Amino acid sequence: MGYADVGGRQVWYEVHGAGRPLVLLHGGYGSTETFAPVRPALAVRRRLIAVDLQGHGRTPDADRPLRHESMADDLAALLRRLDLPAVDLLGYSLGGGVALRTAIQHPTLVRRLVVVSAPCRRRGWYPEALAAMSAHDERAAERMRGTPAYERYARVAPRPQDWPTLWAKSGDLLRRDYDWSAEVAALPMPVLLVFADADAIPTSHVAEFYGLLGGGHRDPGGDGSERPASRLAVLPGLTHREVVASPALPAAVLPFLTHTVRAPG
């Protein structure tokens, strides 16, 4: 574990386990530690490369806004620097958006993609979630001091005093509109979508997202030959915050990473 120089910026990454690489991207205000509850199960079968995104965890902030697109470019540069030409990529929440943009912008670097609890357009979130995200700013950061999220950040951040800046930049990102539907429909690699059954994203958007990947349009046939290459998992009894720590997550992810993809028809 350590820092890699990516375009003059320092990006923190950690390596656990052995085997084919699986890259892990955490959610907003998180870090590589987000995956600690599921890391042992994943590391039994995979070499895990967990990355701290811009301004999160041990990765310093940069003199630029937070954007899914630029963080995706950072990740692509890191993968090239580590000589990892075709990885499996899993992103949760904010990291799910970055993972999705990485697959869109750098498709040759991603063998299989797992998006956990992230929509493909901004209005894929529930209105209540959008309202809460729109309120992220420096004042909200001050109210969050003393919470477990702040304590985790302060323990590892190179500049703990940047906590308010992270909230201000995150709020600016979360208030920006986006719709990646057309680009999602053109993705060439198999994709696994994972959501909680009580997620911050309604099941109507989950179905829409899966439909863009070819899912839910037809009966797969008796032998399953008409099923799409992509898959959908809705994990029961969980919320948006709980899904990333549930043992049900690796149980859904690992079979997807190893199954043989058949061309329909």
Side-chain angles (χ1 to χ4, degrees), residues 68-241:
H68 295 100
E69 293 82 357
S70 56
M71 289 188 283
D73 286 341
D74 285 349
L75 179 60
L78 174 64
L79 296 179
R80 292 187 177 103
R81 184 169 183 81
L82 298 179
D83 194 23
L84 298 172
V87 301
D88 296 330
L89 177 57
L90 183 156
Y92 160 66
S93 197
L94 171 65
V98 176
L100 188 53
R101 286 306 314 178
T102 303
I104 290 168
Q105 295 166 210
H106 306 277
T108 61
L109 294 179
V110 182
R111 189 187 78 102
R112 297 195 182 185
L113 173 66
V114 182
V115 177
V116 183
S117 290
C120 65
R121 56 185 178 89
R122 185 175 185 270
R123 294 191 179 275
W125 298 98
Y126 275 117
E128 300 91 336
L130 286 176
M133 292 188 294
S134 295
H136 289 202
D137 57 18
E138 292 183 354
R139 290 172 297 178
E142 293 304 319
R143 293 194 295 270
M144 291 296 292
R145 289 188 185 274
T147 64
Y150 172 76
E151 296 299 332
R152 288 191 294 268
Y153 174 87
R155 187 169 60 248
V156 301
R159 285 175 46 89
Q161 63 268 35
D162 285 347
W163 177 248
T165 301
L166 175 59
W167 275 75
K169 287 189 172 186
S170 295
D172 177 59
L173 170 66
L174 296 170
R175 288 186 290 270
R176 290 175 64 86
D177 196 20
Y178 62 90
D179 187 340
W180 305 327
S181 299
E183 293 161 299
V184 166
L187 286 173
M189 74 288 294
V191 181
L192 170 64
L193 302 180
V194 182
F195 294 91
D197 63 349
D199 216 305
I201 297 153
T203 54
S204 57
H205 180 72
V206 172
E208 175 191 1
F209 197 164
Y210 188 45
L212 293 170
L213 298 166
H217 296 299
R218 64 184 64 85
D219 185 289
D223 61 356
S225 61
E226 294 298 319
R227 69 163 299 129
S230 294
R231 292 186 173 184
L232 169 65
V234 178
L235 306 184
L238 299 171
T239 66
H240 183 80
R241 293 187 179 185

Side-chain angles (χ1 to χ4, degrees), residues 2-4 8-13 52-64 66 71 74 153 156-160 162 165-166 169:
Y3 287 101
R9 292 179 294 277
Q10 297 296 302
V11 175
W12 176 267
Y13 72 98
D52 280 343
L53 299 171
Q54 175 189 333
H56 290 75
R58 292 173 173 84
T59 295
D61 193 15
D63 186 18
R64 66 181 190 190
L66 274 182
M71 289 188 283
D74 285 349
Y153 174 87
V156 301
R159 285 175 46 89
D162 285 347
T165 301
L166 175 59
K169 287 189 172 186

